[in-house]
């Protein structure tokens, strides 16, 4: 089974992943004390959950990448500033 996400749903899921990383870091002092970034923790958690969903249930996630380029441009432009 494949779940398709439109651009708004993809962005919403990315925000949820980011906040879940913040929640995990707030509860585990090891991550907080070692300065592990929030996106890394959220991304690893998401990767583990989606891997489990794929291996156990055959669930595939399909994301729309329409916002990828504009958001990457905004990110790199803000770093340059």
């Amino acid at each position: 089974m494949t779940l398709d996400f439109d651009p708004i749903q993809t962005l919403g899921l990315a925000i949820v992943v980011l906040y879940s990383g913040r929640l995990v870091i707030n509860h585990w002092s090891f991550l907080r004390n070692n300065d592990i970034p929030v996106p890394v923790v959220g991304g690893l958690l998401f990767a583990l959950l989606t891997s489990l969903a794929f291996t156990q249930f055959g669930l595939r996630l399909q994301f729309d990448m329409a916002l990828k380029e504009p958001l990457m441009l905004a990110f790199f432009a803000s770093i340059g500033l």
Side-chain angles (χ1 to χ4, degrees):
M1 181 167 93
T2 301
L3 291 177
D4 293 324
F5 292 92
D6 66 16
I8 301 300
Q9 291 171 331
T10 299
L11 185 61
L13 186 60
I15 291 169
V16 169
V17 167
L18 192 64
Y19 279 114
S20 67
R22 170 57 62 193
L23 184 69
V24 170
I25 285 180
N26 285 341
H27 283 78
W28 284 2
S29 61
F30 172 78
L31 298 173
R32 192 173 44 251
N33 293 340
N34 291 305
D35 293 324
I36 307 297
V38 171
V40 171
V41 174
L44 283 174
L45 181 64
F46 181 73
L48 289 172
L49 289 175
T50 54
S51 296
L52 181 68
F54 177 71
T55 56
Q56 297 300 315
F57 306 109
L59 180 65
R60 293 178 184 261
L61 302 177
Q62 184 74 27
F63 299 105
D64 189 330
M65 295 296 183
L67 293 175
K68 178 183 174 183
E69 224 173 287
L71 290 176
M72 283 179 63
L73 254 143
F75 172 75
F76 288 116
S78 67
I79 286 177
L81 294 176

